[in-house]
Amino acid sequence: LLKKTGTDPEHPFFHLFADFHDTFIRLRALQEAGLLHEARRFLLDTLDRRKREQGLLTFDDLLTRLDQALARPDSGPRLAARIFERYPAAMVDEFQDTDPLQYRLFNRIYHRDDAALFLIGDPKQAIYSFRGADIFTYIRARQETPTTHRYTMTTNYRATAAMVGAVNRLFSLRPDAFIFTEGIVFQPVQAAAGAGPPLVVDGLEVTPFTALLLAAEKDGGKGMSKKDAAPLAVARCASEIVRLLA
């Protein structure tokens, strides 16, 4: 052990040992990754075998098996043509919640000049990553769609004018509000003509947008952790809902 005022000893052994230690740490990490990969492969293969033995199909199986069938070089194109013949047009709502496999299916079936494929999505509403939804699928689809075939809905028919204005203001504060600026650009919208009146409680209009600020744990300290902030935010939202409905 070295004292604070000490200096590192100089000897070739220490340099060699440091290199050995770094290599050993990387090897352990690779071994752990390899073990996890092998365990995942075993579990998936075993699950697939047992489902086949019991004649079971899940929703994911319907997608993966269709994907495998469409990928076959001999019969895949014929299958895609048969599906297109039966369904020459497709409209995919909430497209921001799709995953690469689902997009690949639509691409293989409708990637032709006479196809009618409508992808309707809003990347601001992409909230299903825990189910495999991938925002990069939306970005890829947008990039692969010619600009002449992109359409933006510029009128909001669901919210009051005040709410629409608040959302426009919030997301216009920063050009990188959605981080991936090359694939996701905020488009301000307008409220529909004759939009409903604002919400009034106890004779006062409710503000269209409210932010909850949680104080730092200590003065000058770091902000509150997500783990600690989540239950407070949930309790505050529930309390506000009760107040509005009372």
Side-chain angles (χ1 to χ4, degrees), residues 14-236:
F14 295 106
H15 296 290
L16 293 173
F17 184 81
D19 292 340
F20 167 78
H21 180 264
D22 292 341
T23 302
F24 175 75
I25 295 298
R26 290 196 297 270
L27 178 61
R28 286 292 300 273
L30 290 174
Q31 288 176 330
E32 292 178 1
L35 179 61
L36 291 174
H37 177 76
E38 183 63 22
R40 178 179 180 276
R41 185 195 63 77
F42 172 79
L43 290 174
L44 292 177
D45 290 347
T46 302
L47 177 62
D48 184 65
R49 175 177 56 79
R50 292 188 178 182
K51 285 189 295 185
R52 289 179 183 274
E53 292 173 351
Q54 300 177 37
L56 300 177
L57 278 176
T58 66
F59 178 74
D60 285 340
D61 293 329
L62 299 178
L63 297 175
T64 55
R65 294 194 182 184
L66 176 58
D67 183 51
Q68 294 167 0
L70 290 172
R72 294 170 185 164
D74 52 344
S75 58
R78 294 199 304 273
L79 175 60
R82 290 291 300 274
I83 295 175
F84 176 77
E85 181 181 349
R86 185 169 183 178
Y87 304 102
M91 182 175 68
V92 185
D93 198 10
E94 305 293 353
F95 182 75
Q96 74 278 353
D97 294 325
T98 56
D99 59 32
L101 186 151
Q102 293 168 325
Y103 180 54
R104 188 163 61 244
L105 295 177
F106 290 115
N107 243 351
R108 284 173 170 163
I109 297 171
Y110 294 98
H111 191 67
R112 45 191 296 171
D113 294 336
D114 57 343
L117 176 62
F118 301 92
L119 307 177
I120 306 169
D122 180 359
K124 299 189 300 300
Q125 300 182 45
I127 59 174
Y128 285 97
S129 60
F130 65 92
R131 290 184 54 189
D134 182 6
I135 190 60
F136 295 105
T137 300
Y138 170 90
I139 294 176
R140 177 188 170 189
R142 187 177 187 276
Q143 293 173 340
E144 293 179 351
T145 301
T147 55
T148 55
H149 289 65
R150 301 178 192 169
Y151 302 92
T152 300
M153 291 184 244
T154 59
T155 302
N156 185 309
Y157 292 90
R158 294 182 176 180
T160 63
M163 174 61 77
V164 172
V167 173
N168 284 340
R169 174 61 177 163
L170 175 66
F171 288 107
S172 297
L173 291 176
R174 294 179 60 99
D176 58 346
F178 300 107
I179 303 177
F180 306 108
T181 55
E182 294 183 2
I184 305 177
V185 179
F186 176 69
Q187 176 68 48
V189 300
Q190 61 184 1
L199 177 64
V200 177
V201 176
D202 297 331
L204 299 175
E205 291 187 8
V206 177
T207 55
F209 187 88
T210 302
L212 176 62
L213 300 179
L214 299 176
E217 296 178 355
K218 297 180 180 179
D219 292 340
K222 294 183 179 179
M224 189 176 298
S225 68
K226 181 179 179 180
K227 179 180 178 181
D228 294 333
L232 296 178
V234 169
R236 180 66 180 84

